[in-house]
Amino acid sequence: QNQACDAVRKSMKFFPDWPNKGVGFQDISGLFLSHEKFNKVLDYYSYRFNDVDLIVCLEARGFVLGTAFAQSMKLPFILIRKKGKLPGPCYRESYKKEYGADEFEVQENILSGITPKPGKKFHVLIMDDILATGGTLCASIELVKKVLIGNGIKDFKISTSLISSVKVLNGKEKIYEKYNDVSIDIINEM
Ligand code: PRP
Ligand code: MG
């Protein structure tokens, strides 16, 4: 984790008062400019999350993280998108985040081709870049539960991974309070 954290700290940029006054924006885009640094993060994930069955990527930067990790681990992945982007019937969840409200969706039937391994809890990893108030992650956990149960997968475990967090907003505590069975991994807590 130390090497991954070092790579994140060296590549992340902080934008004060963006997108609104009073909000400090942590931008991880710089991580993708360095194959070596991004690899440190993926290496850490492969060590930390070696028994995952499905990856869930959150729009927008979670798409990049989740796709890269899923491909390197030869794992299937699905996308949770902002409202109105996905075709067909969708589960939907509204949420509040640090600077406004939003809605997330996942396709109801996206897991129809997935068969969990018998005798093992189906382990789902939700991936995103930043944990701030936790609104985004909460909505995602709700959607993942809905899509798993909707597709007949009842014996599951949910983990979440973030590159960085805004500690003063207590997102982690809020999630733990609501879901005592969900784990949260943050490479760079600040
Ligand atoms: C940012 C960030 C997280 C979320 C965290 O995404 O990428 O997903 O906010 O905030 P929260 O913990 O307060 O919910 P944002 O919704 O700004 O948009 P984007 O990822 O589509 O760029
Ligand atoms: Mg986001």
Side-chain angles (χ1 to χ4, degrees):
Q1 184 172 14
N2 283 346
Q3 288 194 28
C5 188
D6 195 50
V8 167
R9 286 195 179 158
K10 282 187 176 137
S11 54
M12 201 164 66
K13 281 198 182 134
F14 186 75
F15 291 84
D17 296 322
W18 202 92
N20 301 324
K21 207 167 169 37
V23 174
F25 190 91
Q26 298 181 20
D27 186 9
I28 65 148
S29 310
L31 186 63
F32 308 139
L33 286 172
S34 161
H35 172 263
E36 211 175 34
K37 289 195 181 75
F38 193 15
N39 227 11
K40 294 261 192 271
V41 169
L42 295 176
D43 273 352
Y44 165 67
Y45 282 153
S46 62
Y47 148 83
R48 177 76 177 74
F49 301 108
N50 56 14
D51 74 333
V52 166
D53 298 298
L54 174 77
I55 289 175
V56 177
C57 315
L58 307 189
E59 185 169 355
R61 289 172 193 81
F63 286 0
V64 181
L65 298 164
T67 310
F69 184 51
Q71 280 298 103
S72 75
M73 298 294 279
K74 300 189 165 79
L75 288 172
F77 62 97
I78 62 170
L79 311 179
I80 287 187
R81 296 209 61 180
K82 303 278 169 88
K83 184 181 74 172
K85 303 282 186 183
L86 293 168
C90 289
Y91 294 113
R92 183 184 293 179
E93 203 61 45
S94 312
Y95 60 96
K96 282 200 197 95
K97 53 183 183 173
E98 193 182 359
Y99 40 84
D102 235 318
E103 281 177 277
F104 255 171
E105 289 183 342
V106 70
Q107 286 166 304
E108 283 182 20
N109 303 320
I110 191 70
L111 296 179
S112 55
I114 298 270
T115 317
K117 289 181 204 122
K120 176 190 182 286
K121 260 189 205 302
F122 191 72
H123 188 181
V124 180
L125 175 64
I126 301 175
M127 302 189 77
D128 200 8
D129 57 341
I130 308 294
L131 173 63
T133 62
T136 301
L137 206 54
C138 261
S140 312
I141 293 168
E142 286 302 320
L143 285 178
V144 166
K145 287 188 170 182
K146 278 186 193 167
V147 77
L148 288 171
I149 291 165
N151 284 271
I153 304 174
K154 292 183 190 79
D155 189 22
F156 57 81
K157 164 175 142 183
I158 299 175
S159 299
T160 67
S161 78
L162 296 307
I163 295 287
S164 190
S165 68
V166 187
K167 219 169 171 213
V168 289
L169 294 173
N170 294 320
K172 193 172 170 179
E173 288 69 23
K174 278 182 232 163
I175 307 272
Y176 278 148
E177 215 168 275
K178 198 162 174 203
Y179 309 98
N180 52 20
D181 51 350
V182 170
S183 76
I184 305 172
D185 184 87
I186 304 164
I187 290 180
N188 178 49
E189 271 194 282
M190 59 174 279

